């Protein structure tokens, strides 16, 4: 991904609300030599972009270089799933403020990144998009320049900040909001473990046929001056 805004995010195409969202990046194919040159020296990149970013599941050819990795996973089931992702980014790249539903063990390998983190309890003041929106687990607030006229409660949010250097490991629990900035050319590894306990409970709730889903008028029938 190549960008002049430094921002990157991925909409969820599975959501009910289908929107053609403008993306803050373009996607380009380039040789690895050109890509790493762009990451280390954006001014020399032939595409004219200032920010470059690569995100992918760890390819099979690199898995042997990551061993031993068993302790990065919560369970044997997660270890078998191998939800491991590689991040490579140039200085200045930003990941939109969001939360994930998995346990995340984030290992910084090369360069530095800064994480800003908010507790799940602060969700209301972070103004998430609606559940059916393609950006549903992301914030509507531009964290670089918050519009407090539109999002006044954001001023009440309280965050923790940490800078990760090579060899640093950060544990990010599920539903923890985070905003990530690349401070220098960076390579990172992210290992995910699924929150099966909560997923099973929520899946059972969603499958259940609630009677109130069938009510034509949520407030009931109007009975005149006596109310509903």
């Amino acid at each position: 991904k190549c960008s002049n805004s430094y921002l990157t995010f991925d909409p969820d195409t599975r959501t009910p609300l289908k929107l053609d969202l403008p993306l803050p990046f373009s996607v380009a194919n380039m040789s690895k030599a050109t890509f790493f040159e762009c990451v280390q020296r954006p001014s020399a990149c032939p595409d004219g972009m200032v920010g470059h970013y690569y995100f992918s599941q760890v390819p099979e050819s690199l898995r042997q270089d990551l061993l031993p990795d068993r302790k990065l996973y919560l369970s044997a089931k997660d270890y078998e799933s191998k939800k491991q992702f590689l991040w490579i980014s140039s200085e200045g790249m930003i990941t939109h403020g969001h939360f994930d539903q998995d346990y995340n063990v984030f290992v910084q390998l090369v360069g530095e990144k800064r994480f800003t983190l908010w507790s799940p309890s602060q969700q209301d003041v972070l103004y998430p998009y609606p559940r059916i929106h393609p950006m549903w687990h992301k914030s509507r607030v531009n964290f670089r320049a918050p519009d407090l006229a539109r999002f006044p409660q954001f001023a009440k949010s309280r965050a923790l900040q940490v800078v990760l250097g090579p060899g640093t490991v950060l544990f990010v629990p599920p539903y923890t909001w985070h905003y990530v900035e690349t401070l220098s050319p960076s390579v990172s590894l992210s290992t995910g473990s699924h929150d099966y306990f909560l997923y099973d409970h929520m899946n059972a709730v969603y499958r259940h046929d609630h009677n109130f889903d069938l009510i034509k008028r949520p407030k009931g029938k109007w009975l005149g001056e006596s109310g509903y």
Side-chain angles (χ1 to χ4, degrees):
K1 297 174 182 176
C2 309
S3 171
N4 274 326
S5 70
Y6 292 105
L7 183 66
T8 183
F9 59 77
D10 290 298
D12 187 345
T13 57
R14 301 167 299 175
T15 51
L17 189 60
K18 305 301 181 185
L19 297 175
D20 186 17
L21 298 177
L23 298 176
F25 57 81
S26 59
V27 179
N29 289 320
M30 59 181 69
S31 69
K32 63 181 180 181
T34 300
F35 173 71
F36 281 111
E37 180 71 8
C38 291
V39 167
Q40 296 176 78
R41 296 195 308 125
S43 61
C45 192
D47 63 11
M49 297 288 182
V50 294
H52 297 83
Y53 176 88
Y54 174 85
F55 170 72
S56 174
Q57 193 150 5
V58 174
E60 197 63 39
S61 59
L62 290 181
R63 291 206 178 276
Q64 291 301 314
D65 295 331
L66 303 178
L67 299 177
D69 63 349
R70 175 63 183 85
K71 291 185 177 180
L72 298 177
Y73 295 93
L74 181 65
S75 68
K77 187 174 182 179
D78 293 308
Y79 184 57
E80 292 172 4
S81 297
K82 290 287 186 181
K83 290 181 66 177
Q84 277 192 319
F85 300 91
L86 185 66
W87 310 70
I88 305 173
S89 52
S90 59
E91 181 178 348
M93 290 301 294
I94 296 169
T95 302
H96 193 97
H98 70 288
F99 69 84
D100 298 308
Q101 294 175 289
D102 290 337
Y103 298 92
N104 181 7
V105 177
F106 193 93
V107 182
Q108 187 64 18
L109 300 172
V110 176
E112 290 188 334
K113 281 190 171 181
R114 178 167 55 221
F115 273 71
T116 306
L117 304 117
W118 292 262
S119 163
S121 64
Q122 297 195 64
Q123 174 158 311
D124 288 347
V125 300
L126 296 176
Y127 295 91
Y129 284 91
R131 180 62 182 85
I132 63 171
H133 195 280
M135 300 269 283
W136 65 271
H137 62 125
K138 298 176 176 63
S139 174
R140 290 181 285 150
V141 180
N142 177 356
F143 290 175
R144 289 179 292 181
D147 184 347
L148 297 182
R150 290 183 62 201
F151 309 111
Q153 296 300 312
F154 180 72
K156 298 181 179 180
S157 71
R158 294 295 179 266
L160 296 175
Q161 250 185 13
V162 60
V163 174
L164 307 184
T168 307
V169 178
L170 176 67
F171 172 63
V172 183
Y175 310 103
T176 299
W177 286 81
H178 49 289
Y179 172 72
V180 188
E181 303 162 274
T182 302
L183 304 182
S184 61
S186 169
V187 180
S188 314
L189 176 71
S190 176
T191 301
S193 295
H194 198 58
D195 187 356
Y196 293 100
F197 179 78
L198 182 58
Y199 177 84
D200 290 342
H201 280 279
M202 294 306 296
N203 200 35
V205 170
Y206 291 142
R207 285 202 312 264
H208 188 70
D209 185 15
H210 295 284
N211 288 332
F212 56 72
D213 289 338
L214 307 178
I215 296 176
K216 187 174 182 179
R217 291 186 296 272
K219 288 188 176 181
K221 184 177 180 181
W222 176 249
L223 300 177
E225 294 301 323
S226 58
Y228 284 97

